Amino acid sequence: MDRQTMTRELRVTFQPSGRAVYVLPGTILLEAAARAGFIIETPCGGAGKCGKCLVRVTSGACEPCAEQAAALKAEQLRQGYRLACKCRVQQNLTVEIPEKSLFQASHKILAEDAGGERDLRPAVTKRFLQLAPPDREDPASDAERLSLALDGAGLDIAVLRRLSPVLRQKDFAVTATLIDRTVVALEPGDTTERCFGVAFDIGTTTVVGTLVDLRTGMDVAVASLVNPQTSYGDDVISRIKRCRDEADGLRQLHDAILKAVNAITREVAHKAGVDRHDICEAVFAGNTTMEEILCGIDPLALGQIPFVPAFRNTVSMRAADFGLDVCPGAKVSVFPQIGGFVGGDTVAGVVATRLDQTHEPTLLVDVGTNGEIVLAHKGRLMATSVAAGPAFEGARIVHGMRASKGAIEKVVADGDIELNVIGNARPTGICGTGLIDAAAALLRKGVIDITGRVLGPDELPSDLPQALRSRVVENASGQYDFILVHEKDSGIGGPICLYQKDVRELQLANGAIRAGIAILLRHAGVDPSELGSVLLAGAFGNFIRRNNARRIGMLPQIHTDRIRFVGNTASFGAKRMLLSTREKEYAERIVRETRHIDLSLDPEFQMEFSSAMIFPETE
Ligand code: FES
């Protein structure tokens, strides 16, 4: 491939998974890992001080910088250990990520800390019983016999129907599965070793399911699918409209998500060699619209002022009633919601990060089509949501695309443009992170001004390198666009540009997030400089270049060390609820105690939004 404008990308392979990504020379290892889907612990925000981001370079050289030499022992350095936050990729590498360096691993530990292996308290328990068979002296009914052995527990009708044959299959040796003092399943013999749960993050775009061993709290398999509802509309509003306008809309959307959830359940069970009937519990976290449709609830009220959700508390039901193809009596729980467009995924994020327990003002931001923002200050929580629109997903951007093969995911402007393309392929479009990078880079170079206008040749800075200058081209309406990829390097048979109208779309999305953050801070009386940290959650948030998001004003002007990636907190929170009933109580307390700021009713929002559309003057 002719890459006149593109620097040679380097391959980084992560072990033990073998997952590989291509990155630009100079990319921080932490970012390469995130690109590959590995979120590494960064408690010090990448300052090189905590040593928690330890990885081991097993092939290819990565010279340690002075900070690493100071932070690590000589023996560690000799063995190839490096700090992912300080290591820059300069050649092809193979890197081992120790389990304890992964953010997800620390959350497993946290889950154990909160409950501990001794304290794991899933809603479901299994008990093995060797019952005495009936005789003339003891002619009690089968149901009484079982119930008595379980301190008076009740029996689900499905258990009662098959009780007599199951009891006699292995001479009255049985395993009872109990939820809330009711036997929901009964199996012959001892099956206490097999007790699993599945935690779901139901995203508007992607659905992720994690199979968890409820005895140990450990993940055993994970699988994901594109949310099939995307074929009915990209964002939640179009799906609410479909439910409202089509007679069969709700059923279509509900069936589509249920099918996906069952497909993921089958896949994780298959991967882990687990019988689906040994899955005894499931927890779902999603935004308000996704949760309501998942439960078969008409989301009508979410589409009209004052945008109230249909429910706030956890919704629980039997798997058979829910339509989940696991143990029919399994317990299904759907996360409680805060209000309007602040749903269960946000609550799960607070549960996962223990946001209410932070000592300094802390923001949790999930950037997506719907941006959710929670501010923790002095033990109190305030939450809001903003309609950022689908620009970050690549929609409404002329050459926009999702973050998949061929997408420009990183843009650097120096003497010329350098790009990183997902899958090391010819570029076919630009995804959300590339869009933010491009805008930030062109702002720094003075190609775009703070109003978002792409400047014409006469207005460009005199010291702008010629290679960049020549990329500015006039369009049919007399405005200017910027060529990111020349036709000869592109995979679409024409140039790939950042168009003037793309910058406007970005300003709308960016302005919404920025205004939401500003209003929450103002309500709490917190100056941005007082923020202890900003936690970036969600699939998109974990790929954002922090300095670029800050340059365009999406994130407050605080040091990048204080902006931390926290991974898929909706999944982590769902797992926590799966592992302990205490987490359900905690989640419901979060919902009760969080102040919901509805920006659709806030007179300040329009004004704040207009000024937030203007990019910051400087960094
Ligand atoms: S040393 Fe703390 S994140 Fe790398």
Side-chain angles (χ1 to χ4, degrees):
M1 170 179 177
D2 180 1
R3 289 193 168 230
Q4 204 178 341
T5 60
M6 280 170 272
T7 308
R8 189 177 61 91
E9 290 165 8
L10 301 169
R11 183 183 165 98
V12 185
T13 308
F14 291 95
Q15 298 296 11
S17 72
R19 221 177 288 162
V21 286
Y22 288 87
V23 298
L24 289 177
T27 299
I28 299 272
L29 212 41
L30 201 63
E31 186 186 321
R35 186 74 264 161
F38 298 109
I39 306 301
I40 293 180
E41 271 289 305
T42 56
C44 73
K49 293 190 181 126
C50 67
K52 298 280 189 210
C53 63
L54 204 65
V55 295
R56 186 162 165 245
V57 177
T58 55
S59 93
C62 204
E63 281 313 305
C65 61
E67 281 150 305
Q68 295 186 75
L72 300 175
K73 295 191 186 105
E75 180 57 15
Q76 282 181 303
L77 290 169
R78 206 187 50 72
Q79 289 176 1
Y81 282 101
R82 299 287 184 270
L83 297 176
C85 69
K86 292 290 167 198
C87 232
R88 288 188 184 275
V89 181
Q90 301 295 1
Q91 54 177 263
N92 292 342
L93 297 177
T94 303
V95 178
E96 223 172 69
I97 309 181
E99 176 81 8
K100 67 178 190 320
S101 297
L102 287 169
F103 183 83
Q104 212 167 331
S106 87
H107 270 262
K108 275 181 213 154
I109 293 160
L110 281 175
E112 282 158 16
D113 286 344
E117 192 149 335
R118 291 155 282 121
D119 269 347
L120 277 177
R121 294 166 192 252
V124 51
T125 51
K126 273 191 160 186
R127 277 185 61 188
F128 172 66
L129 303 162
Q130 176 62 67
L131 302 174
D135 55 28
R136 284 174 191 277
E137 260 74 68
D138 177 15
S141 72
D142 285 348
E144 283 170 305
R145 189 171 305 279
L146 179 63
S147 178
L148 199 65
L150 293 169
D151 307 319
L155 267 62
D156 187 277
I157 183 66
V159 172
L160 192 56
R161 283 182 182 137
R162 295 200 16 86
L163 178 61
S164 296
V166 171
L167 282 178
R168 286 160 180 81
Q169 209 169 321
K170 290 205 169 164
D171 296 328
F172 286 78
V174 284
T175 300
T177 304
L178 288 132
I179 295 174
D180 301 332
R181 295 193 44 74
T182 300
V183 182
V184 297
L186 193 72
E187 299 160 285
D190 185 353
T191 67
T192 48
E193 293 283 287
R194 307 196 308 258
C195 189
F196 298 89
V198 59
F200 279 97
D201 164 23
I202 308 290
T204 312
T205 310
T206 310
V207 183
V208 184
T210 309
L211 187 67
V212 181
D213 186 331
L214 296 180
R215 294 165 315 132
T216 61
M218 302 302 284
D219 297 359
V220 285
V222 63
S224 65
L225 278 179
V226 169
N227 187 333
Q229 294 174 342
T230 43
S231 58
Y232 300 102
D234 265 353
D235 54 18
V236 294
I237 301 298
S238 53
R239 297 188 205 168
I240 293 170
K241 272 196 192 138
R242 184 153 190 114
C243 292
R244 188 192 62 196
D245 300 341
E246 304 270 328
D248 215 16
L250 174 60
R251 194 190 57 77
Q252 287 170 350
L253 290 172
H254 176 251
D255 287 357
I257 189 64
L258 204 54
K259 219 167 143 190
V261 158
N262 276 316
I264 288 175
T265 306
R266 276 195 299 278
E267 189 179 338
V268 287
H270 178 73
K271 275 184 182 172
V274 166
D275 186 323
R276 269 178 295 130
H277 294 95
D278 289 326
I279 298 176
C280 308
E281 197 180 350
V283 172
F284 292 87
N287 62 49
T288 40
T289 311
M290 291 305 101
E291 287 196 350
E292 292 192 8
I293 295 175
L294 178 71
C295 294
I297 295 170
D298 192 330
L300 172 84
L302 289 172
Q304 55 196 39
I305 292 172
F307 310 113
V308 294
F311 66 90
R312 290 234 304 165
N313 287 331
T314 312
V315 170
S316 300
M317 63 188 103
R318 293 172 77 248
D321 300 327
F322 185 87
L324 187 64
D325 194 6
V326 293
C327 166
K331 179 171 183 166
V332 170
S333 303
V334 179
F335 248 79
Q337 334 193 88
I338 291 173
F341 292 101
V342 185
D345 49 356
T346 306
V347 180
V350 175
V351 166
T353 55
R354 297 306 203 237
L355 193 68
D356 58 325
Q357 294 161 24
T358 52
H359 299 299
E360 302 165 300
T362 304
L363 271 176
L364 175 67
V365 184
D366 189 342
V367 180
T369 310
N370 188 51
E372 290 104 11
I373 307 157
V374 189
L375 173 66
H377 180 43
K378 294 184 177 162
R380 285 200 296 275
L381 296 170
M382 217 180 263
T384 195
S385 69
V386 290
F392 296 131
E393 307 269 0
R396 296 198 203 136
I397 302 298
V398 179
H399 289 133
M401 64 185 286
R402 287 193 200 287
S404 53
K405 189 172 179 182
I408 298 167
E409 67 88 20
K410 180 173 183 175
V411 178
V412 177
D414 200 359
D416 196 2
I417 289 290
E418 290 181 14
L419 305 172
N420 192 36
V421 180
I422 297 176
N424 206 25
R426 270 183 183 268
T428 50
I430 184 163
C431 67
T433 52
L435 185 66
I436 293 172
D437 284 359
L442 297 183
L443 266 168
R444 289 192 187 102
K445 288 289 175 192
V447 176
I448 294 176
D449 70 11
I450 60 163
T451 68
R453 193 167 62 90
V454 181
L455 301 181
D458 299 344
E459 300 167 286
L460 290 170
S462 54
D463 60 348
L464 187 73
Q466 183 52 35
L468 291 175
R469 182 179 291 274
S470 65
R471 289 172 180 266
V472 175
V473 289
E474 189 169 1
N475 62 30
S477 41
Q479 295 177 319
Y480 294 92
D481 303 321
F482 186 86
I483 300 174
L484 289 169
V485 183
H486 292 295
E487 185 174 343
K488 63 185 171 52
D489 297 322
S490 140
I492 56 169
I496 297 174
C497 297
L498 180 72
Y499 292 92
Q500 176 63 74
K501 56 185 171 191
D502 296 339
V503 182
R504 298 292 177 224
E505 286 293 338
L506 174 68
Q507 284 177 286
L508 289 171
N510 186 47
I513 303 272
R514 200 173 166 201
I517 291 176
I519 291 179
L520 275 199
L521 290 175
R522 192 170 323 128
H523 275 279
V526 174
D527 186 83
S529 63
E530 294 174 81
L531 278 171
S533 15
V534 175
L535 308 179
L536 283 176
F540 181 61
N542 287 298
F543 297 115
I544 289 176
R545 244 75 57 184
R546 295 169 291 183
N547 57 339
N548 289 341
R550 199 186 48 189
R551 176 64 191 94
I552 64 168
M554 179 195 290
L555 298 178
Q557 304 293 309
I558 61 170
H559 197 280
T560 42
D561 288 357
R562 287 193 273 149
I563 302 171
R564 292 181 50 202
F565 299 117
V566 287
N568 182 354
T569 52
S571 269
F572 299 153
K575 269 191 279 179
R576 279 182 167 248
M577 190 191 273
L578 194 61
L579 291 175
S580 171
T581 49
R582 283 180 180 173
E583 300 288 321
K584 173 173 169 277
E585 288 157 25
Y586 176 47
E588 292 188 340
R589 183 165 62 73
I590 297 288
V591 167
R592 279 194 307 277
E593 295 178 359
T594 301
R595 186 173 154 212
H596 179 219
I597 308 284
D598 183 352
L599 293 181
S600 65
L601 304 174
D602 193 319
E604 284 175 273
F605 183 69
Q606 272 317 319
M607 236 160 60
E608 192 70 53
F609 179 52
S610 314
S611 59
M613 296 263 293
I614 306 289
F615 293 122
E617 285 276 2
T618 52
E619 303 192 40

